[in-house]
Amino acid sequence: MLIRTPDNGFDHGHASEITPRGVYAERRQLMRWMAGGAAGAALAGWAQRDALAQVVRPNKLAALPGARSAVAGAVTMEKLTSYEDASSYNNFYEFGTDKADPARNAHTLKTDPWSVEIEGLVKKPGKYALEDLLKLSAQEERIYRMRCVEGWSMVIPWVGYSLSALIQKVEPQPGAKYVEFLTLADPKTMPFVGSRVLSWPYAEGLRMDEAMHPLTLLSFGMYGEVLPKQNGAPVRLVVPWKYGFKNAKSIVKIRFVDKEPATAWNKAAANEYGFYSNVNPNVDHPRWSQATERRIGEDGLFAKKRKTLLFNGYEAQVGQLYAGMDLKKNY
Ligand SMILES: Nc1nc2c(c(=O)[nH]1)N[C@H]1C(S)=C(S)[C@@H](COP(=O)(O)O)O[C@H]1N2
Ligand SMILES: [Mo]
């Protein structure tokens, strides 16, 4: 989602964002075999996850299992994106603007010790240690589609719990209408903080009812392990009906506010990235269509694009949040 500014000279349009992937033919064939047909149904989810971990994970991170979530809509049976793709094709601009940069550069991120500061219109503000956040509620596994504004998607088994569990614990005041998320901006460990592509720290926001929706996940892991650094360790947001950029990584501050907070991408290009950022095939990005998407892992020369679904397919769960709103205006 690189944008053009007079001084960075970047102009990555749509097509060039979809960098051709290396072909790992044998591995992919194996995955297809594992996930295909009847075997696929049996191997979907847990078993497939374990199989994936064994096949593509030579150096595992610490285990972080979660019980399968019972939240409505929290588990899609679609084929999982391989761990390798999900952890090597990333957006994390603090570590560079190329999709391969985060996996290359994020090793410098220090995730221990870590704490998240809760502040603003809330009865129990304070600094919450990661260890305490991890235990605040039971860890669940949720298999979500993730759709990036650039036109690609993945299916990832996240581990975490509903953000609402944390919000209830810290007791927002009645005046709190929005939740703002601020992420780490440490120039010593993040080589691109200080670049002028975005203003730092990376900021995101949700309306209170969006933040309280059971599908909104505070995530600590994926594929049964703690998050890799390039995926936003040690704690990030996953909001499956919104474009990927709403999913703030490496969160250090959660602030309860009364007004719609500024967000990093909206500040960078307000006409391209609105506050809501709901996945919507009917509202084009000014420079490209949002009607279709490419599933990462299916990007062979002849792979068909998929139709993008309203709210990324989560309309039954979240459509009500936007009843009566003009989604063309509130993009
Ligand atoms: N702090 C921070 N969070 C971020 C970003 C970023 O650049 N910095 N990029 C966003 C974008 S554009 C996307 S698509 C997702 C990508 O998450 P993933 O790499 O785990 O797939 O992270 C989002 N969260
Ligand atoms: Mo994105």
Side-chain angles (χ1 to χ4, degrees), residues 29 62 74 103 114 142 161 163 187 199 201 215 218 242 266 270 283 292 299 329:
Q29 197 47 50
W114 194 275
R142 308 231 181 133
Y161 51 75
L163 175 67
S199 60
L215 282 177
L218 193 64
K242 292 183 181 272
N266 183 250
V283 179
T292 60
D299 46 2
K329 270 199 195 120

Side-chain angles (χ1 to χ4, degrees), residues 1 90-94 146 148 152 158 183 202 230-231 236 244-245 247-249:
M1 183 169 45
N90 302 102
N91 273 337
F92 200 165
Y93 275 36
E94 289 83 337
M146 205 277 266
C148 180
W152 47 268
W158 300 104
T183 74
Y202 192 98
Q230 60 268 34
N231 289 81
R236 66 173 291 171
F245 64 92
N247 301 336
K249 293 176 166 180

